[in-house]
Amino acid sequence: MSTQAPTATATATVSSVTRSSTPLSTTRSLLTCAVVASPLWAVVSLTQAATRQGFDITRHPLSALSNGSLGWLQITNFLLAGTLLVLGASGLRRALRGTPGGTWAPRLVRIGGIGMIAAGAFVMDPVDGFPAGAPSAEAATLTWHSYAHFAAGSVTFTSLIAACYVLGRHFGRAGNRRYALASRVAGTALLIGNGWAMSGGRAGTLTLAVGAVTAMLWISVVARRSRRGI
């Protein structure tokens, strides 16, 4: 019995399938990073907000959780979620390539992820009695790393707001009115929440938390939808 050698055509076909499936697998993996990033950050942050002694989400920003003996949890949370967003942005770039907003939405998500990494690296000062033993009044002079944290936060929030609005345009041009509206609502939630907090509004830290979680989770929803469409 003789064994027939693979033909050139069969070999080329197998090679072509391997090459085409690898990028798709990589894109799915990258999009998974974006899917996971926001729920992870939200769950870890809100669990700490509900359980850490002395923390009051109506008075303390979620960033304040980076202080104290358990501060490493929130620092790690920022660093990990930011890294996942940066990776996930590459998946969004591949999935949205050639579509309206397909260039800028991933770029803005990536900038937001970099901002989160910086927010984790630079810890804000203790605030309003948290953690336990911290002065109840705000310090007259902030430390340099607190200023750096606020700058990183501003970059993150601005990028996420813009990303949501760009995605609103993307879905609007595609005729998906439901996703277009949801994108704009998510961006507006963060815009209003951050604006209210910056103006010193009552429970501003709560409105900021709601806005940030809403916008971030929407990015995850879009990434999941893109992943399912591949």
Side-chain angles (χ1 to χ4, degrees), residues 122-125 139-154:
F122 302 107
V123 178
M124 68 174 290
D125 296 336
T141 304
L142 298 177
T143 59
W144 67 269
H145 51 81
S146 193
Y147 280 116
H149 178 88
F150 292 140
S154 295

Side-chain angles (χ1 to χ4, degrees), residues 19-188:
R19 285 196 303 270
S20 63
S21 62
T22 300
L24 289 179
S25 176
T26 302
T27 300
R28 290 191 185 99
S29 297
L30 291 170
L31 287 170
T32 299
C33 292
V35 172
V36 171
S38 301
L40 172 67
W41 186 85
V43 168
V44 173
S45 296
L46 296 178
T47 298
Q48 290 184 84
T51 58
R52 287 190 60 180
Q53 184 178 4
F55 187 87
D56 181 353
I57 199 170
T58 66
R59 295 167 43 222
H60 305 129
L62 293 175
S63 293
L65 292 165
S66 295
N67 288 288
S69 60
L70 294 176
W72 63 271
L73 284 171
Q74 188 68 344
I75 293 173
T76 303
N77 192 26
F78 271 113
L79 296 176
L80 180 57
T83 300
L84 289 173
L85 277 180
V86 170
L87 293 173
S90 296
L92 285 171
R93 178 175 57 82
R94 296 183 181 195
L96 302 180
R97 181 182 288 121
T99 65
T103 298
W104 275 103
R107 285 180 181 175
L108 290 165
V109 171
R110 179 176 291 109
I111 293 171
I114 293 172
M116 290 192 72
I117 294 172
F122 302 107
V123 178
M124 68 174 290
D125 296 336
V127 60
D128 200 6
F130 183 84
S136 57
E138 186 175 350
T141 304
L142 298 177
T143 59
W144 67 269
H145 51 81
S146 193
Y147 280 116
H149 178 88
F150 292 140
S154 295
V155 169
T156 299
F157 297 147
T158 302
S159 299
L160 291 178
I161 291 167
C164 287
Y165 285 132
V166 171
L167 287 171
R169 176 177 178 271
H170 165 78
F171 288 115
R173 292 285 295 275
N176 191 333
R177 295 182 180 179
R178 185 163 62 94
Y179 270 69
L181 176 61
S183 296
R184 292 172 180 129
V185 168
T188 302

